[in-house]
PDB file of all heavy atoms in Angstrom:
ATOM      1  N   LYS A 261      96.995  93.264 111.313  1.00 95.00           N
ATOM      2  CA  LYS A 261      97.739  92.590 110.244  1.00 95.00           C
ATOM      3  C   LYS A 261      99.196  92.594 110.701  1.00 95.00           C
ATOM      4  O   LYS A 261      99.795  93.658 110.870  1.00 95.00           O
ATOM      5  CB  LYS A 261      97.576  93.345 108.919  1.00 95.00           C
ATOM      6  CG  LYS A 261      98.383  92.730 107.787  1.00 95.00           C
ATOM      7  CD  LYS A 261      98.181  93.444 106.445  1.00 95.00           C
ATOM      8  CE  LYS A 261      99.092  92.811 105.409  1.00 95.00           C
ATOM      9  NZ  LYS A 261      99.036  93.445 104.103  1.00 95.00           N
ATOM     10  N   TYR A 295     105.930  99.375  93.873  1.00 98.00           N
ATOM     11  CA  TYR A 295     106.114 100.270  95.016  1.00 98.00           C
ATOM     12  C   TYR A 295     106.461  99.505  96.295  1.00 98.00           C
ATOM     13  O   TYR A 295     107.225  99.997  97.134  1.00 98.00           O
ATOM     14  CB  TYR A 295     104.902 101.205  95.249  1.00 98.00           C
ATOM     15  CG  TYR A 295     105.354 102.224  96.270  1.00 98.00           C
ATOM     16  CD1 TYR A 295     106.252 103.228  95.905  1.00 98.00           C
ATOM     17  CD2 TYR A 295     105.008 102.098  97.607  1.00 98.00           C
ATOM     18  CE1 TYR A 295     106.781 104.091  96.842  1.00 98.00           C
ATOM     19  CE2 TYR A 295     105.538 102.959  98.554  1.00 98.00           C
ATOM     20  CZ  TYR A 295     106.425 103.958  98.165  1.00 98.00           C
ATOM     21  OH  TYR A 295     106.967 104.798  99.097  1.00 98.00           O
ATOM     22  N   ASP A 296     105.961  98.291  96.419  1.00 98.00           N
ATOM     23  CA  ASP A 296     106.334  97.474  97.586  1.00 98.00           C
ATOM     24  C   ASP A 296     107.858  97.286  97.609  1.00 98.00           C
ATOM     25  O   ASP A 296     108.500  97.415  98.656  1.00 98.00           O
ATOM     26  CB  ASP A 296     105.606  96.120  97.510  1.00 98.00           C
ATOM     27  CG  ASP A 296     105.695  95.308  98.796  1.00 98.00           C
ATOM     28  OD1 ASP A 296     105.981  95.897  99.862  1.00 98.00           O
ATOM     29  OD2 ASP A 296     105.474  94.079  98.735  1.00 98.00           O
ATOM     30  N   SER A 299     109.513 100.460  98.656  1.00 98.00           N
ATOM     31  CA  SER A 299     109.317 100.674 100.083  1.00 98.00           C
ATOM     32  C   SER A 299     110.243  99.781 100.912  1.00 98.00           C
ATOM     33  O   SER A 299     110.828 100.236 101.901  1.00 98.00           O
ATOM     34  CB  SER A 299     107.845 100.430 100.440  1.00 98.00           C
ATOM     35  OG  SER A 299     107.656 100.634 101.811  1.00 98.00           O
ATOM     36  N   HIS A 300     110.396  98.533 100.503  1.00 98.00           N
ATOM     37  CA  HIS A 300     111.313  97.653 101.264  1.00 98.00           C
ATOM     38  C   HIS A 300     112.719  98.246 101.295  1.00 98.00           C
ATOM     39  O   HIS A 300     113.386  98.238 102.327  1.00 98.00           O
ATOM     40  CB  HIS A 300     111.361  96.255 100.641  1.00 98.00           C
ATOM     41  CG  HIS A 300     110.060  95.532 100.755  1.00 98.00           C
ATOM     42  ND1 HIS A 300     109.697  94.496  99.938  1.00 98.00           N
ATOM     43  CD2 HIS A 300     109.010  95.708 101.605  1.00 98.00           C
ATOM     44  CE1 HIS A 300     108.496  94.078 100.271  1.00 98.00           C
ATOM     45  NE2 HIS A 300     108.053  94.801 101.270  1.00 98.00           N
ATOM     46  N   ILE A 301     113.149  98.761 100.154  1.00 98.00           N
ATOM     47  CA  ILE A 301     114.508  99.313 100.116  1.00 98.00           C
ATOM     48  C   ILE A 301     114.585 100.547 101.021  1.00 98.00           C
ATOM     49  O   ILE A 301     115.509 100.686 101.830  1.00 98.00           O
ATOM     50  CB  ILE A 301     114.923  99.632  98.663  1.00 98.00           C
ATOM     51  CG1 ILE A 301     114.866  98.356  97.808  1.00 98.00           C
ATOM     52  CG2 ILE A 301     116.329 100.231  98.635  1.00 98.00           C
ATOM     53  CD1 ILE A 301     115.081  98.572  96.319  1.00 98.00           C
ATOM     54  N   GLU A 303     112.772 101.381 103.570  1.00 98.00           N
ATOM     55  CA  GLU A 303     112.642 101.054 105.008  1.00 98.00           C
ATOM     56  C   GLU A 303     114.008 100.726 105.614  1.00 98.00           C
ATOM     57  O   GLU A 303     114.242 100.899 106.807  1.00 98.00           O
ATOM     58  CB  GLU A 303     111.725  99.841 105.208  1.00 98.00           C
ATOM     59  CG  GLU A 303     110.288 100.022 104.734  1.00 98.00           C
ATOM     60  CD  GLU A 303     109.376 100.672 105.766  1.00 98.00           C
ATOM     61  OE1 GLU A 303     109.867 101.455 106.592  1.00 98.00           O
ATOM     62  OE2 GLU A 303     108.158 100.392 105.714  1.00 98.00           O
ATOM     63  N   LEU A 353     114.502  92.318  99.712  1.00 98.00           N
ATOM     64  CA  LEU A 353     114.049  91.798 101.015  1.00 98.00           C
ATOM     65  C   LEU A 353     114.459  90.339 101.209  1.00 98.00           C
ATOM     66  O   LEU A 353     113.677  89.524 101.656  1.00 98.00           O
ATOM     67  CB  LEU A 353     112.526  91.975 101.158  1.00 98.00           C
ATOM     68  CG  LEU A 353     111.995  91.906 102.592  1.00 98.00           C
ATOM     69  CD1 LEU A 353     112.716  92.872 103.518  1.00 98.00           C
ATOM     70  CD2 LEU A 353     110.506  92.195 102.639  1.00 98.00           C
ATOM     71  N   TRP A 365     110.957 100.494 108.978  1.00 98.00           N
ATOM     72  CA  TRP A 365     109.722  99.694 108.832  1.00 98.00           C
ATOM     73  C   TRP A 365     108.449 100.376 109.298  1.00 98.00           C
ATOM     74  O   TRP A 365     107.402  99.745 109.394  1.00 98.00           O
ATOM     75  CB  TRP A 365     109.861  98.295 109.493  1.00 98.00           C
ATOM     76  CG  TRP A 365     110.877  97.472 108.762  1.00 98.00           C
ATOM     77  CD1 TRP A 365     112.137  97.146 109.204  1.00 98.00           C
ATOM     78  CD2 TRP A 365     110.781  96.954 107.426  1.00 98.00           C
ATOM     79  NE1 TRP A 365     112.812  96.446 108.225  1.00 98.00           N
ATOM     80  CE2 TRP A 365     112.012  96.313 107.139  1.00 98.00           C
ATOM     81  CE3 TRP A 365     109.762  96.978 106.455  1.00 98.00           C
ATOM     82  CZ2 TRP A 365     112.260  95.701 105.909  1.00 98.00           C
ATOM     83  CZ3 TRP A 365     110.017  96.357 105.238  1.00 98.00           C
ATOM     84  CH2 TRP A 365     111.245  95.736 104.985  1.00 98.00           C
ATOM     85  N   MET A 366     108.492 101.707 109.569  1.00 98.00           N
ATOM     86  CA  MET A 366     107.248 102.349 110.021  1.00 98.00           C
ATOM     87  C   MET A 366     106.231 102.526 108.896  1.00 98.00           C
ATOM     88  O   MET A 366     105.027 102.524 109.145  1.00 98.00           O
ATOM     89  CB  MET A 366     107.551 103.699 110.691  1.00 98.00           C
ATOM     90  CG  MET A 366     108.006 103.581 112.130  1.00 98.00           C
ATOM     91  SD  MET A 366     106.980 102.494 113.165  1.00 98.00           S
ATOM     92  CE  MET A 366     105.395 103.325 113.154  1.00 98.00           C
ATOM     93  N   VAL A 367     106.695 102.675 107.643  1.00 98.00           N
ATOM     94  CA  VAL A 367     105.723 102.760 106.539  1.00 98.00           C
ATOM     95  C   VAL A 367     104.931 101.448 106.477  1.00 98.00           C
ATOM     96  O   VAL A 367     103.697 101.448 106.319  1.00 98.00           O
ATOM     97  CB  VAL A 367     106.443 103.054 105.196  1.00 98.00           C
ATOM     98  CG1 VAL A 367     105.520 102.809 104.014  1.00 98.00           C
ATOM     99  CG2 VAL A 367     106.949 104.493 105.189  1.00 98.00           C
ATOM    100  N   HIS A 368     105.631 100.337 106.653  1.00 98.00           N
ATOM    101  CA  HIS A 368     104.921  99.054 106.649  1.00 98.00           C
ATOM    102  C   HIS A 368     103.990  98.917 107.855  1.00 98.00           C
ATOM    103  O   HIS A 368     102.883  98.384 107.724  1.00 98.00           O
ATOM    104  CB  HIS A 368     105.910  97.884 106.599  1.00 98.00           C
ATOM    105  CG  HIS A 368     106.267  97.489 105.195  1.00 98.00           C
ATOM    106  ND1 HIS A 368     106.976  98.320 104.359  1.00 98.00           N
ATOM    107  CD2 HIS A 368     105.972  96.380 104.470  1.00 98.00           C
ATOM    108  CE1 HIS A 368     107.102  97.726 103.181  1.00 98.00           C
ATOM    109  NE2 HIS A 368     106.499  96.546 103.221  1.00 98.00           N
ATOM    110  N   MET A 369     104.422  99.392 109.006  1.00 98.00           N
ATOM    111  CA  MET A 369     103.561  99.256 110.193  1.00 98.00           C
ATOM    112  C   MET A 369     102.269 100.065 110.022  1.00 98.00           C
ATOM    113  O   MET A 369     101.184  99.594 110.344  1.00 98.00           O
ATOM    114  CB  MET A 369     104.304  99.705 111.463  1.00 98.00           C
ATOM    115  CG  MET A 369     105.497  98.832 111.828  1.00 98.00           C
ATOM    116  SD  MET A 369     105.086  97.073 111.962  1.00 98.00           S
ATOM    117  CE  MET A 369     105.887  96.401 110.521  1.00 98.00           C
ATOM    118  N   ILE A 370     102.398 101.289 109.481  1.00 98.00           N
ATOM    119  CA  ILE A 370     101.193 102.111 109.283  1.00 98.00           C
ATOM    120  C   ILE A 370     100.361 101.510 108.140  1.00 98.00           C
ATOM    121  O   ILE A 370      99.135 101.386 108.244  1.00 98.00           O
ATOM    122  CB  ILE A 370     101.554 103.594 109.007  1.00 98.00           C
ATOM    123  CG1 ILE A 370     102.405 104.162 110.158  1.00 98.00           C
ATOM    124  CG2 ILE A 370     100.290 104.427 108.820  1.00 98.00           C
ATOM    125  CD1 ILE A 370     103.004 105.543 109.885  1.00 98.00           C
ATOM    126  N   GLY A 371     101.033 101.101 107.071  1.00 98.00           N
ATOM    127  CA  GLY A 371     100.327 100.500 105.929  1.00 98.00           C
ATOM    128  C   GLY A 371      99.570  99.239 106.342  1.00 98.00           C
ATOM    129  O   GLY A 371      98.440  99.001 105.910  1.00 98.00           O
ATOM    130  N   GLN A 372     100.194  98.428 107.186  1.00 97.00           N
ATOM    131  CA  GLN A 372      99.519  97.205 107.636  1.00 97.00           C
ATOM    132  C   GLN A 372      98.301  97.525 108.508  1.00 97.00           C
ATOM    133  O   GLN A 372      97.288  96.821 108.443  1.00 97.00           O
ATOM    134  CB  GLN A 372     100.504  96.300 108.387  1.00 97.00           C
ATOM    135  CG  GLN A 372     101.453  95.588 107.435  1.00 97.00           C
ATOM    136  CD  GLN A 372     102.544  94.766 108.094  1.00 97.00           C
ATOM    137  OE1 GLN A 372     103.555  94.482 107.458  1.00 97.00           O
ATOM    138  NE2 GLN A 372     102.387  94.382 109.333  1.00 97.00           N
ATOM    139  N   ALA A 373      98.407  98.583 109.304  1.00 98.00           N
ATOM    140  CA  ALA A 373      97.242  98.985 110.110  1.00 98.00           C
ATOM    141  C   ALA A 373      96.107  99.451 109.194  1.00 98.00           C
ATOM    142  O   ALA A 373      94.927  99.155 109.434  1.00 98.00           O
ATOM    143  CB  ALA A 373      97.637 100.079 111.098  1.00 98.00           C
ATOM    144  N   VAL A 374      96.463 100.153 108.125  1.00 98.00           N
ATOM    145  CA  VAL A 374      95.438 100.572 107.149  1.00 98.00           C
ATOM    146  C   VAL A 374      94.799  99.328 106.522  1.00 98.00           C
ATOM    147  O   VAL A 374      93.568  99.224 106.411  1.00 98.00           O
ATOM    148  CB  VAL A 374      96.058 101.485 106.055  1.00 98.00           C
ATOM    149  CG1 VAL A 374      95.072 101.732 104.920  1.00 98.00           C
ATOM    150  CG2 VAL A 374      96.537 102.804 106.659  1.00 98.00           C
ATOM    151  N   HIS A 382      98.456  95.503  99.453  1.00 98.00           N
ATOM    152  CA  HIS A 382      99.612  95.854 100.277  1.00 98.00           C
ATOM    153  C   HIS A 382     100.410  97.057  99.742  1.00 98.00           C
ATOM    154  O   HIS A 382     100.624  98.049 100.444  1.00 98.00           O
ATOM    155  CB  HIS A 382     100.510  94.621 100.425  1.00 98.00           C
ATOM    156  CG  HIS A 382     101.791  94.890 101.124  1.00 98.00           C
ATOM    157  ND1 HIS A 382     101.836  95.315 102.444  1.00 98.00           N
ATOM    158  CD2 HIS A 382     103.089  94.837 100.706  1.00 98.00           C
ATOM    159  CE1 HIS A 382     103.110  95.487 102.797  1.00 98.00           C
ATOM    160  NE2 HIS A 382     103.870  95.214 101.765  1.00 98.00           N
ATOM    161  N   THR A 385      98.749 100.424 100.114  1.00 98.00           N
ATOM    162  CA  THR A 385      98.695 101.000 101.474  1.00 98.00           C
ATOM    163  C   THR A 385     100.020 101.701 101.786  1.00 98.00           C
ATOM    164  O   THR A 385     100.034 102.739 102.449  1.00 98.00           O
ATOM    165  CB  THR A 385      98.411  99.924 102.548  1.00 98.00           C
ATOM    166  OG1 THR A 385      99.485  98.967 102.579  1.00 98.00           O
ATOM    167  CG2 THR A 385      97.095  99.207 102.307  1.00 98.00           C
ATOM    168  N   LEU A 386     101.121 101.132 101.270  1.00 98.00           N
ATOM    169  CA  LEU A 386     102.436 101.749 101.518  1.00 98.00           C
ATOM    170  C   LEU A 386     102.555 103.069 100.759  1.00 98.00           C
ATOM    171  O   LEU A 386     103.047 104.069 101.283  1.00 98.00           O
ATOM    172  CB  LEU A 386     103.552 100.805 101.076  1.00 98.00           C
ATOM    173  CG  LEU A 386     103.519  99.378 101.625  1.00 98.00           C
ATOM    174  CD1 LEU A 386     104.629  98.548 100.993  1.00 98.00           C
ATOM    175  CD2 LEU A 386     103.644  99.370 103.143  1.00 98.00           C
ATOM    176  N   VAL A 389     100.708 106.057 102.391  1.00 98.00           N
ATOM    177  CA  VAL A 389     101.207 106.680 103.631  1.00 98.00           C
ATOM    178  C   VAL A 389     102.651 107.182 103.517  1.00 98.00           C
ATOM    179  O   VAL A 389     103.131 107.897 104.401  1.00 98.00           O
ATOM    180  CB  VAL A 389     101.077 105.730 104.864  1.00 98.00           C
ATOM    181  CG1 VAL A 389      99.638 105.241 105.017  1.00 98.00           C
ATOM    182  CG2 VAL A 389     102.026 104.538 104.794  1.00 98.00           C
ATOM    183  N   THR A 463      98.725 100.408 114.935  1.00 97.00           N
ATOM    184  CA  THR A 463     100.057 100.524 114.324  1.00 97.00           C
ATOM    185  C   THR A 463     101.126 100.119 115.336  1.00 97.00           C
ATOM    186  O   THR A 463     101.220 100.709 116.414  1.00 97.00           O
ATOM    187  CB  THR A 463     100.313 101.989 113.878  1.00 97.00           C
ATOM    188  OG1 THR A 463      99.313 102.374 112.928  1.00 97.00           O
ATOM    189  CG2 THR A 463     101.682 102.133 113.242  1.00 97.00           C
TER     190      THR A 463
END
Side-chain angles (χ1 to χ4, degrees):
K261 177 178 176 183
Y295 191 73
D296 192 20
S299 180
H300 294 158
I301 301 173
E303 298 275 29
L353 199 53
W365 294 107
M366 279 312 297
V367 166
H368 271 66
M369 295 306 109
I370 303 171
Q372 284 175 201
V374 171
H382 174 63
T385 63
L386 307 175
V389 306
T463 300

